[in-house]
DNA sequence: TTGTAAGCGTTATCAT
DNA sequence: ATGATAACGCTTACAA
């Protein structure tokens, strides 16, 4: 395949001029430009970006690390990242950590060797240190966290306010007349699930509502156990009239249980999920849910990285973006006329 | 950052030897190996894969092109591709065509310039020619289609048998006692949706069941229109007792309509979706669905590409894999005791 | 505006 | 088993 040398030979011009045509195209006569371009056409020349990257020291690849790609929160965020980054000439390399710290470490090592221009990461559930990320700083590769982050000041990140999301949803249930609200919690180990639980509990407290043992149903790896716990709590007094689930699937499971028991939604029990999954709107009743704004988060994370990639004129301030989630109200939690809605 | 030259200087060995340690490690003494490795450790040396790729002419990147990443069919397939390919030392570059032929063309041009080792693609709905793919062949970059393919013999591809999937599902409905089955069709323009419709119609024919006008509800961009059509058909004689949807979301919409009309599922109307989305299992009743085996497809496509990447000993035969889908039977279509299940 | 030439960090071909 | 050296295709001072 033709290269710049071939073009130089074919046009009688020098290598440098050829290069300039494809880069600083202003420093070249319109005429010679034409000559070079037509020769390029004829020889079906294509620039070799690998060579360019090696020589110039900057590649146009950006590494994106997620636990796994086939979850809506990640694939939606990646979708908008790809849109933003490809518009700026970058391409993204996708890697899955499978929730393993060690794998995450290997991936980062690999991305460094590939000389990526930057990295965007949602850390694994196992990850609670930045040791494996140090190499990025040493190599001057900018880094942005999204979705899940670490509680450290000097990191760029884009996350949603999980506390606030759960708080909003709980307040909404209270506003709808619920007085006995229970929470289907997520894994205690995962910070964002702890935040959601805190938001739930604080909202109850602020509304002077009681929170008894058993009102927070702890996460249990066994689905059967969770269903049993929920079933038991639904039968106990005081009867729950509202449910905040830590995720939409969790809410779906609850809906199934309610359906089986013949408990009407939202009349007897109102329910709100978390994540605003695609299917929420297609259910009957439609499932109210807290939107994590996945696409917004992805777009913002990508934009933040693009800024870091700019030749730094001044010393940049670390951005710690915390987006407020948006509660999407649907039938599953709607008992009274409501003005707010999507 | 340290490079091989630095290691050479530090150890007193030659560049060539250093390189050998990291590649043909057998042609080197265990002793010198040790020396080099410890020096590498001390200087925190990391091979520059870009340079290696440039020199050797082969990169370890593989381009994956999908219409959009945030749909389960694509994200699940990509998930397993990433697993297979990263295990063989490849990394994947994700690109979204947004269902545009032109964008697809630009992406391919870009991937060629990046010197990817291979490409895996699910073509856009607009794409009905391989013109834009010709360059890959010219550059000797192997290509594998998945999910959606073109009807050409000389292409590697992994797809599921959509005809068979719809046929199976329809037969299942018949076996469950349904005699008036209707089909919620997908866009006429999309080949896989036409196939599903064909499978549906053939199954009815083979079972000597009538197919009247209005039994296939055509796809309509407007959701409201589709709901109206379905509602009308549900009210008309002869009353439908079975529904095959072209997709799970479509089935979910139908479930909602049935629910609103107070029509019991599966007692009065049995229903089967297509895609086996994550949420199918959490619904009440659980939604029966034809699994597209996304992960299998992804895994196979990746394996096929890996084979193409092998130094071709003999002339390879083009593989045109067509996987039979798997019907996942759940409550939504179960009226009789059944032996088969997951 | 154009040309000359060095060099990015490897791999690969010769020798030794 | 190890070393010297050219080459991959491009960018970029510097010179003209």
């Amino acid at each position: 395949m033709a290269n710049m040398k071939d073009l130089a030979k074919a046009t009688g011009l020098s290598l440098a001029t050829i290069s300039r045509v494809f880069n600083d195209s202003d420093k070249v006569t319109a005429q010679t430009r034409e000559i070079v371009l037509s020769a390029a056409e004829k020889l079906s020349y294509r620039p070799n970006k690998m060579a360019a990257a090696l020589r110039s020291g900057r590649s146009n690849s950006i590494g994106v690390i997620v636990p796994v790609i086939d979850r809506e929160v990640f694939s939606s965020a990646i979708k908008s990242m790809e849109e933003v980054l490809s518009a700026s000439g970058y391409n993204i390399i996708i890697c899955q950590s499978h929730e393993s710290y060690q794998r995450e470490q290997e991936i980062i090592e690999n991305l460094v060797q590939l000389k990526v221009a930057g990295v965007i990461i949602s850390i694994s559930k196992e990850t609670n240190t930045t040791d494996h990320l140090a190499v990025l700083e040493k190599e001057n590769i900018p880094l942005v966290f999204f979705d899940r982050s670490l509680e450290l000041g000097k990191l760029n990140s884009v996350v949603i306010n999980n506390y606030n999301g759960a708080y909003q949803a709980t307040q909404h249930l209270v506003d709808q007349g619920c007085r006995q609200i229970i929470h289907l919690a997520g894994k205690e180990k995962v910070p964002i699930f702890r935040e959601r639980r805190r938001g739930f509990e604080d909202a109850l407290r602020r509304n002077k509502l009681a929170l008894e043992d058993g009102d927070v149903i702890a996460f249990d790896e066994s689905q059967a156990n969770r269903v049993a716990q929920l079933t038991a709590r639904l039968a106990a007094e005081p009867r729950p009239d509202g449910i905040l689930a830590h995720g939409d699937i969790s809410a779906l499971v609850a809906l199934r249980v309610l359906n089986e028991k013949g408990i009407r939604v939202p009349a007897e029990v109102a329910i709100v999920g978390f994540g605003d999954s695609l299917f929420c709107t297609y259910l009957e009743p439609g499932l109210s849910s807290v939107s994590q704004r996945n696409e917004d988060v992805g777009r913002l994370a990508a934009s933040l990285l693009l800024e870091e990639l700019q030749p730094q004129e001044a010393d940049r301030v670390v951005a710690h973006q915390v987006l407020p989630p948006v509660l999407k109200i649907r039938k599953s939690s709607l008992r009274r006329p409501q003005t707010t809605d999507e």
Side-chain angles (χ1 to χ4, degrees), chain A residues 62-335:
Chain A
I62 284 168
V64 174
I65 311 174
V66 291
V68 70
I69 198 188
D70 69 344
R71 285 209 322 254
E72 209 174 313
V73 48
F74 299 124
S75 59
S76 298
I78 291 172
K79 172 190 176 172
S80 51
M81 285 177 199
E82 200 271 349
E83 286 164 13
V84 171
L85 295 175
S86 76
S88 294
Y90 290 94
N91 37 267
I92 77 180
I93 297 177
I94 290 285
C95 311
Q96 304 182 105
S97 68
H98 289 284
E99 306 284 7
S100 150
Y101 175 82
Q102 199 202 319
R103 180 85 192 97
E104 210 168 85
Q105 191 166 16
E106 291 164 6
I107 288 170
I108 287 161
E109 180 61 31
N110 188 242
L111 291 176
V112 170
Q113 296 185 9
L114 286 171
K115 300 277 180 239
V116 293
V119 171
I120 303 181
I121 187 173
S122 175
I123 55 173
S124 88
K125 286 183 184 164
E126 267 183 33
T127 303
N128 51 22
T129 137
T130 54
D131 295 356
H132 59 322
L133 302 173
V135 52
L136 293 174
E137 193 174 15
K138 201 158 36 184
E139 301 292 332
N140 263 305
I141 300 175
L143 172 67
V144 174
F145 290 82
F146 79 103
D147 178 57
R148 302 180 193 153
S149 181
L150 286 165
E151 314 273 318
L152 296 168
K154 48 179 218 154
L155 304 169
N156 287 291
S157 64
V158 182
V159 298
I160 62 151
N161 189 331
N162 284 280
Y163 172 90
N164 171 268
Y167 193 104
Q168 269 188 69
T170 309
Q171 184 62 53
H172 162 70
L173 287 169
V174 172
D175 293 345
Q176 293 295 312
C178 300
R179 290 297 173 268
Q180 286 297 332
I181 309 173
I182 66 175
H183 178 47
L184 305 179
K187 277 190 187 152
E188 182 67 23
K189 280 181 57 176
V190 183
I192 64 177
F193 295 151
R194 283 205 303 271
E195 285 300 294
R196 289 176 194 178
R197 178 177 178 164
R198 272 212 314 122
F200 166 75
E201 294 181 347
D202 276 10
L204 286 193
R205 209 164 292 144
R206 222 61 72 85
N207 283 280
K208 307 228 163 70
L209 292 175
L211 177 69
E212 306 291 340
D213 274 6
D215 284 355
V216 173
I217 296 183
F219 187 86
D220 189 306
E221 293 287 355
S222 148
Q223 174 120 303
N225 283 356
R226 274 185 291 168
V227 167
Q229 279 185 72
L230 173 59
T231 307
R233 182 60 194 86
L234 284 171
E237 295 293 342
R239 287 290 166 88
D241 55 5
I243 299 179
L244 172 66
H246 81 283
D248 288 329
I249 290 292
S250 178
L252 212 46
V253 170
L255 276 175
R256 200 180 59 191
V257 171
L258 293 167
N259 201 333
E260 277 170 353
K261 300 277 170 255
I263 300 173
R264 283 167 302 142
V265 174
E268 294 176 85
V269 172
I271 179 164
V272 178
F274 213 114
D276 192 33
S277 307
L278 196 61
F279 60 77
C280 288
T281 171
Y282 298 104
L283 295 173
E284 179 56 35
L287 177 61
S288 298
S289 190
V290 179
S291 168
Q292 302 179 86
R293 303 175 61 185
N294 300 321
E295 298 200 15
D296 289 339
V297 169
R299 190 172 9 256
L300 257 153
S303 309
L304 221 58
L305 188 65
L306 283 180
E307 271 182 40
E308 292 285 332
L309 257 23
Q310 232 65 52
Q312 315 221 359
E313 57 281 345
D315 34 12
R316 196 179 304 295
V317 177
V318 170
H320 209 83
Q321 301 244 22
V322 181
L323 305 188
V326 174
L327 176 62
K328 302 279 190 175
I329 298 172
R330 302 196 180 88
K331 267 198 198 166
S332 73
S333 67
L334 211 50
R335 295 161 146 187

Side-chain angles (χ1 to χ4, degrees), chain A residues 11 13 21 28-41:
Chain A
T11 58
L13 293 163
V21 168
V28 123
T29 323
Q31 202 175 15
T32 53
R33 237 180 88 74
E34 265 317 302
I35 296 173
V36 173
L37 288 180
S38 79
E41 177 76 11

Side-chain angles (χ1 to χ4, degrees), chain A residues 11-30:
Chain A
T11 58
L13 293 163
S14 79
L15 238 186
T17 306
I18 308 294
S19 173
R20 279 190 273 258
V21 168
F22 294 99
N23 299 293
D24 335 86
S25 42
D26 44 330
K27 291 187 173 180
V28 123
T29 323

